[in-house]
Every structure is written in structure tokens, then in C-alpha cells.
Amino acid sequence: MQFWFSWFSTDLLGILVVAPLLLIGAKTFRSGASRPSRLRILEMAALLAMVGVVASLTFVQTGAPIMYIPMLAVLIATTRLGPIGAAGGVLIVAVVSTLSIGIWSDPPMLFDIGPNTRVLYLQFYLLVLFTASLPIAALMASRDQLVDRLAERMRLLELAENAANVGHWRLDTAHNTITWSQEVFNIHGIDGPEPPPLEKAIEAYHPDDRVMVSSLLEDSISKHRGFDFTARIVQPSGTVRHVRSRGEIDREHEDGSVGLFGIIQDISAQVAHETEIKKARDHAKEEARKAKIMADTDQLTGIANRRRITDELDRAVSMARRHGQALSIAIFDIDHFKRINDTYGHQVGDVVLKRVAKTAVKAVRRGDVVGRFGGEEFVIVLPHASAQTALVVTERVRSAIEAGGHNPNVTVSIGIAELAEGETCERLLQRADEALYVAKKEGRNTLRLAA
């Protein structure tokens, strides 16, 4: 029975002590992990050498029972080196203790017992030593894995923040400390590793935005709620960056102070794009306005063209019918205009057309619309005007044109029609044109009212 127990404990020790060392080496080789730094190698060698020295001093001397001291050395190595420190330390203690029993004098704790019992005692001692160091080794291994995982996540986070121009920060009001990620330093255009105090950080904002930023921070801290704002940061170089900052309460302390956690994003490119889009939209609106004006304006005289005057007449007729209001129109043309073109030329004829249009526009009422219908023919739409009112207005137009210029002096004939109940735009224009024909037939430079 003693033999089998000794055999079992010996194999178990071999598995527990040697196997971890082999597995760690194989894993490192397969994963292609980088070679430990020289400082790390020196630390490993120093700690394992310390275990060997302590174990040698413990098992070589025979004066005092101090076999618990190697356990302390192994635990120190385990704390610093993890599983390799536990397995390596126990292996060193096992080698030293075996040599002390087989070659040197027995340790004091092993006096007065037989050889087989000494071996079993030593094996049990090594098992206890390894068992004591195993949980610490597991914790150290888990810690290293967590640290590596956290480091990798932080690396990926920095890559993501850099790509998205987003940084994270934390403000602890209890200790008045600020923590910035690297991208926050980049956004502010300053070097790390220590962020400026809160007052200096607020001063980095544009003078026009500082009061707003400071007010939002104070409100967030006092009322324990988050915030979201956009503002401008002025870098030390003078470059202005547009940023969006969002924060929320991270932790509330017993003394009432809070921690704020948030992100800040450089949206300068977005603001620039939005500005360009707005400029393009405003330019398009202006071009559309100009195009509409050109489409509705007679290019020679600058007044309404046939299309626009027809639309104005349609709207005026609809309004007059809807509200039961009076509406009149007048059609006039320049007397003997063909003779002017033949005598003075078309260039002078164009000057006359422009002069007549300008004079007519000045002579009508506010709200009346004058348009060129074609050639030397013009139309006046007179909303809210009865026939008698239209006669007064058009007489003023006729007189102004007659007195408006010389070389050559021109006159106009005018036909007037008031909208009748149920009458269409086409019929109203036709009656005004018939009245114009009568005015021309009866001597020109006069006006006539349609029947």
C-alpha cells in the first residue's frame, strides 16, 4: 500500500510540476508569441534563483525546522511569474529537497523517521506547496489574460476613435480630475499625457461658446443629468474645430459629488459639408429665382412677358370671382410703330418700346401689372378696378407716354374692358382688343371702353 501511494504521489507530482512547464513552452512555440524582453528574462531568472537559494539554505541546514520558508519564496515567484513561477519554483524545491535527502543530511523535520516515510513526507510537502501556489498561479494567469485582453480592446478602441474622430473623457468632481483618451488630445491639438485642468479645458472653446459650455456642465453636475451640445474648439495653432460633446452621470459619491463620462467628436468635416450643401442649395434657389424671372420677364423691356401677364390675369380673374370684386384690363399699342421702325430703324424702335414700358409702369397704381403681349402691344391688369377707375388710370398712362419723349415722339391707343359675370379670360381679352380696334379706328392716341 505504501508503495502504491508513493508511486501515485510521485507521478502526480511529475504531472503537476513538469507538465505545466512543457505546456507553457509548447503554447508559446505554437502561438509564435514574441520573445520575452531581457528585463523579463532577468526577473524570471532572479526569482527562480531566489527560490533555489532559499530552498538550499532550508534543506541543507539541520539546526532549525524552517521548511515553511521555501513556500514563501515559491508564492513570491508565483505572484510575479504566474503558472511558470509556481511550477518552476516547486520543481526547484523538489530537486533541492531530493538532493538533501539523498546526498546531504536530512532536514530537522525528517529526523527519526524511516527512509520510505521520509520520501512520502517530502512528496506530501511538495503537493501542499504546489496546491498552495496553484490558486495564486491561476489568478495571475487570469489577470494576465484580462490585462492582455484589455490592452487589445484599448488598442482597437484607439483605432476606432482615431478613424471616427471620437474621443472619450471622464470628469471626477470629487477629486477635480479629468481623464482623456488620445483622440481627445488630438481634437484639442495638444500633446499628452496629462489633460489640462477643467478651467483650462473650457478656455479651449471659442469665446462665443464658453458660457454655453460652462453653463451646461454646471447644470449637469448640479442636477445629475446628461448633456449634449455642439461648439467650437480653438487649437493652440489657431485652427478652429467643430465638436459635438455628449456626457452622462457615471457615478454618484456619498458626499454628493459625481463622475461624468462622455465622448467628444470632431464634426468639422460634417459642418464643412453641411455648409457647402447650404451654399449649393442657396445658389440653386437663387439660380432658380433668376431663371423664373427670366422665364417671366420680357428680355427687351424688363416687364412681364406674355406668359406671366396671362398667369397674372388668370389669378386676378379667380380672385375677383371668389371675392366678388371688380377687375378691368387694358390693351394698348404704339400708334404707327411700323413707320417708326421703317424711318428710324429697329434699334430706335427698341428704344421706344423700352421707354413706353417704363413710362407705363410708373403711371399705373401699386398692384397693377404691365406686360408686353408681343410686338408693340401691351396689357395692363387692374385688380379691384371698375371701368371708370380703369379709364382714369389708362388716361394717365396715355398722357405720360405722349409727353414722355421725343425723337421720335409716340402715342398709344388703348382699349379697356371690365370683367363681366361668368366671363372667361379669353373673352375679356377679346373685348379689350375690340375696344382697342375702335380707338385706333377713331383716330388713335385715345382710349375706348368695351361695350
Side-chain angles (χ1 to χ4, degrees):
M1 183 65 182
Q2 189 178 30
F3 168 77
W4 290 108
F5 182 77
S6 176
W7 174 79
F8 174 76
S9 62
T10 301
D11 283 355
L12 180 61
L13 277 172
I15 293 172
L16 293 176
V17 175
V18 179
L21 294 174
L22 295 177
L23 290 175
I24 292 171
K27 181 179 179 181
T28 302
F29 178 77
R30 286 197 306 270
S31 64
S34 59
R35 182 179 178 182
S37 64
R38 180 175 300 180
L39 185 61
R40 183 63 173 171
I41 293 174
L42 290 175
E43 182 185 21
M44 292 171 61
L47 289 171
L48 293 178
M50 180 267 295
V51 173
V53 171
V54 171
S56 298
L57 293 176
T58 299
F59 287 99
V60 169
Q61 64 85 34
T62 58
I66 53 174
M67 293 180 64
Y68 57 86
I69 293 182
M71 180 176 291
L72 178 61
V74 171
L75 292 179
I76 293 174
T78 302
T79 303
R80 293 295 302 165
L81 305 180
I84 194 169
V90 174
L91 179 61
I92 290 173
V93 173
V95 172
V96 172
S97 61
T98 300
L99 290 175
S100 77
I101 294 176
I103 300 176
W104 304 318
S105 58
D106 294 337
M109 293 293 292
L110 304 181
F111 284 172
D112 300 327
I113 57 177
N116 292 334
T117 306
R118 291 176 185 172
V119 173
L120 289 175
Y121 184 91
L122 181 60
Q123 291 173 342
F124 181 75
Y125 169 80
L126 295 174
L127 284 173
V128 171
L129 182 61
F130 190 83
T131 303
S133 61
L134 185 61
I136 298 177
L139 288 174
M140 294 301 104
S142 298
R143 181 204 64 180
D144 292 342
Q145 290 178 356
L146 288 174
V147 169
D148 292 341
R149 195 177 307 163
L150 179 61
E152 179 64 13
R153 289 184 178 180
M154 289 300 296
R155 185 183 69 84
L156 295 176
L157 177 62
E158 287 186 1
L159 287 175
E161 286 187 350
N162 183 261
N165 293 325
V166 177
H168 66 272
W169 53 264
R170 190 178 187 282
L171 170 63
D172 187 350
T173 60
H175 303 92
N176 198 29
T177 57
I178 304 178
T179 304
W180 284 1
S181 68
Q182 181 57 47
E183 190 59 25
V184 181
F185 286 100
N186 296 340
I187 291 173
H188 282 76
I190 60 177
D191 297 326
E194 293 297 329
L198 179 59
E199 295 76 11
K200 290 292 185 181
I202 293 178
E203 288 179 4
Y205 285 90
H206 192 280
D208 295 341
D209 298 337
R210 287 175 195 165
V211 174
M212 179 267 292
V213 173
S214 180
S215 176
L216 285 174
L217 281 176
E218 291 175 0
D219 183 73
S220 177
I221 293 171
S222 62
K223 297 182 180 179
H224 294 191
R225 65 184 183 186
F227 62 83
D228 188 340
F229 66 80
T230 57
R232 292 161 294 174
I233 286 178
V234 182
Q235 297 180 344
S237 62
T239 303
V240 177
R241 311 300 299 175
H242 293 263
V243 298
R244 180 184 181 186
S245 184
R246 286 173 285 177
E248 59 183 26
I249 300 299
D250 181 38
R251 182 182 302 171
E252 296 187 18
H253 302 286
E254 294 180 357
D255 60 358
S257 61
V258 298
L260 282 175
F261 177 82
I263 63 172
I264 184 171
Q265 181 180 14
D266 188 338
I267 58 172
S268 300
Q270 176 184 336
V271 170
H273 291 160
E274 291 174 352
T275 302
E276 290 300 321
I277 291 173
K278 184 178 182 301
K279 287 182 179 179
R281 184 170 60 246
D282 293 343
H283 179 71
K285 287 182 178 179
E286 179 63 18
E287 291 299 317
R289 187 187 68 82
K290 291 179 179 179
K292 188 176 186 305
I293 291 175
M294 291 183 64
D296 293 340
T297 303
D298 179 67
Q299 298 302 303
L300 176 63
T301 62
I303 62 175
N305 60 11
R306 186 186 187 99
R307 171 185 168 182
R308 181 184 168 193
I309 201 69
T310 302
D311 291 342
E312 291 288 344
L313 179 58
D314 288 339
R315 281 193 290 269
V317 169
S318 297
M319 290 291 293
R321 288 173 179 169
R322 186 178 302 114
H323 300 289
Q325 299 169 342
L327 170 67
S328 297
I329 67 167
I331 299 179
F332 69 89
D333 66 9
I334 301 172
D335 297 330
H336 304 296
F337 186 70
K338 183 177 183 302
R339 186 186 303 168
I340 294 172
N341 280 334
D342 293 344
T343 304
Y344 298 97
H346 288 281
Q347 187 173 3
V348 173
D350 289 345
V351 172
V352 169
L353 288 171
K354 288 189 284 187
R355 187 179 73 200
V356 167
K358 185 177 180 180
T359 303
V361 169
K362 289 182 177 181
V364 297
R365 306 170 304 166
R366 183 188 300 270
D368 296 340
V369 182
V370 181
R372 183 184 178 196
F373 221 53
E376 73 274 19
E377 190 174 62
F378 297 82
V379 174
I380 306 175
V381 178
L382 300 109
H384 313 293
S386 64
Q388 295 304 316
T389 302
L391 284 170
V392 172
V393 174
T394 53
E395 173 59 23
R396 189 165 63 234
V397 171
R398 187 202 64 77
S399 299
I401 292 173
E402 183 180 20
H406 303 280
N407 298 324
N409 186 33
V410 296
T411 60
V412 295
S413 300
I414 305 175
I416 306 160
E418 181 180 0
L419 180 67
E421 185 175 355
E423 189 174 27
T424 64
C425 295
E426 291 76 11
R427 179 56 186 161
L428 181 62
L429 283 168
Q430 182 180 355
R431 289 199 301 120
D433 192 55
E434 290 173 353
L436 170 62
Y437 177 77
V438 173
K440 294 172 75 68
K441 185 177 180 181
E442 294 182 357
R444 293 184 169 85
N445 191 22
T446 186
L447 47 90
R448 290 290 183 270
L449 181 65

